């Protein structure tokens, strides 16, 4: 540069503001701001250093946390092939069944626990709709299927049982209908209709055909027995539209993830209740349910609806232990 031109040299660390050859080339108004500018640069530099040191400390803390045993186990499971993970899921499920069988003396309490878990899931759903004022991430088609099998089961409960299940089903159906109303009318603008693209006739039609072929062999009216089988089959796969929607979005916000995970826990407890009751009665429960294919089909339906959610529950637990508030699903979960 020429001697007559002012050259600006700003150095943040250490802080210095130097003008060459003379500050007199600057207007008086700018010269008055030099002390303030120097102080501002020093403040920014100090803050940047503090933030950098804090970030390093957090990184070291996260690195130390990632070495915890649970994270090591989750990382090892993640690296396994899908078939190995499926076998591990079966082993863990059997171990959980044995544990529940030893700890819970009255296995009917498992059914109560399953209904309580379902109630917790419904409460999470209600909170999301009322407080968050959004239904993003929720499948309206899954709610349709839930209302359908609950209505059919409620009818069958009045005809065949008329016990505590009737009260529980009535409360659950009422809340499900309210959720459908909120999604379809009050919060429709946030509903992901383009992502909720599972064709529910893939669930309803096979369930009807299977119910006609395989149903209870009791003395009740034939249509009531078919209705009962239909609601069992629809319930087993009613969560498929919800899983498809989450797979389409790849990202699941916390409240929806909590709801689906609690639903998975409820269905596992329900499956455990049936399996342990069969073990307790040494197969007598299957005989009481009739003969033919119906008794094993009930157990298969319970197991299917549990393992449908097993993969999602795995990624949910992995996300929680990883400290992630938003669950990201890899392709191929559903």
């Amino acid at each position: 540069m020429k001697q007559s031109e002012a050259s600006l040299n700003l150095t943040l660390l250490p802080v210095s503001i130097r003008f060459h050859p003379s500050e007199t080339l600057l207007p008086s108004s700018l010269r008055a701001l030099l002390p303030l500018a120097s102080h501002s640069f020093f403040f920014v530099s100090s803050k940047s250093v503090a933030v950098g040191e804090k970030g390093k400390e957090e990184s070291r803390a996260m690195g130390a946390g990632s070495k915890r045993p649970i994270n090591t186990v989750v990382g090892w499971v993640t690296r396994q092939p899908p078939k190995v993970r499926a076998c591990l899921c079966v082993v863990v499920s059997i171990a959980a069944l044995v544990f529940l069988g030893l700890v819970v003396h009255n296995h009917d309490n498992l059914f109560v626990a399953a209904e309580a878990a379902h109630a917790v899931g419904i409460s999470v759903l209600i909170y999301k709709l009322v407080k968050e004022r959004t239904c993003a991430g929720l499948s309206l088609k899954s709610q349709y299927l839930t209302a359908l099998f609950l209505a059919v089961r409620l009818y069958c409960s009045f005809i065949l049982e008329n016990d505590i299940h009737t009260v529980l089903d009535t409360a659950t159906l009422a809340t499900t209908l309210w959720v459908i109303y909120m999604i379809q009318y009050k919060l429709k603008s946030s509903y992901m209709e383009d992502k909720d693209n599972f064709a529910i006739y893939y669930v309803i039609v096979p369930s009807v055909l299977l119910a006609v072929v395989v149903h209870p062999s009791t003395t009740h009216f034939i249509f009531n027995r078919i209705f009962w089988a239909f609601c069992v089959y629809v319930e087993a796969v009613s969560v498929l539209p919800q899983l498809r929607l989450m797979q389409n979005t790849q990202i699941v916000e916390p409240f929806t993830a909590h709801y689906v995970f609690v639903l998975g826990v409820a269905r596992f407890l329900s499956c455990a209740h049936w399996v342990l009751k069969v073990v307790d009665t040494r197969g007598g429960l299957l005989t009481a349910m009739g003969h033919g294919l119906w008794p094993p089909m009930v157990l298969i339906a319970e197991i299917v609806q549990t393992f449908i959610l097993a993969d999602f529950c795995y990624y949910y637990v992995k996300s929680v232990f990883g400290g992630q508030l938003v669950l990201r699903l890899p392709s191929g979960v559903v």
Side-chain angles (χ1 to χ4, degrees), residues 65-145:
S66 63
K67 297 179 181 178
R68 292 182 299 178
I70 186 64
N71 291 331
T72 303
V73 173
V74 171
W76 178 81
V77 173
T78 303
R79 293 190 296 270
Q80 303 308 308
K83 291 183 179 179
V84 175
R85 290 208 302 264
C87 293
L88 290 174
C89 181
V90 173
V91 172
V92 171
S93 300
I94 294 175
L97 281 174
V98 173
F99 175 78
L100 290 174
L102 295 175
V103 173
V104 182
H105 300 291
N106 186 359
H107 295 155
D108 287 332
N109 292 334
L110 291 176
F111 176 79
V112 178
E115 292 298 325
H118 196 180
V120 170
I122 292 293
S123 300
V124 172
L125 206 57
I126 292 174
Y127 180 88
K128 172 184 172 68
L129 297 178
V130 173
K131 296 297 182 180
E132 300 293 324
R133 302 301 299 176
T134 177
C135 63
L138 293 178
S139 170
L140 182 60
K141 293 181 178 180
S142 267
Q143 299 302 318
Y144 281 150
L145 292 176

Side-chain angles (χ1 to χ4, degrees), residues 260-273:
V260 178
F261 175 74
V262 173
L263 197 62
V265 171
R267 294 194 169 177
F268 172 76
L269 292 174
S270 177
C271 179
H273 166 257

Side-chain angles (χ1 to χ4, degrees), residues 269-280:
L269 292 174
S270 177
C271 179
H273 166 257
W274 281 103
V275 172
L276 293 176
K277 289 293 289 184
V278 170
V279 174
D280 290 342

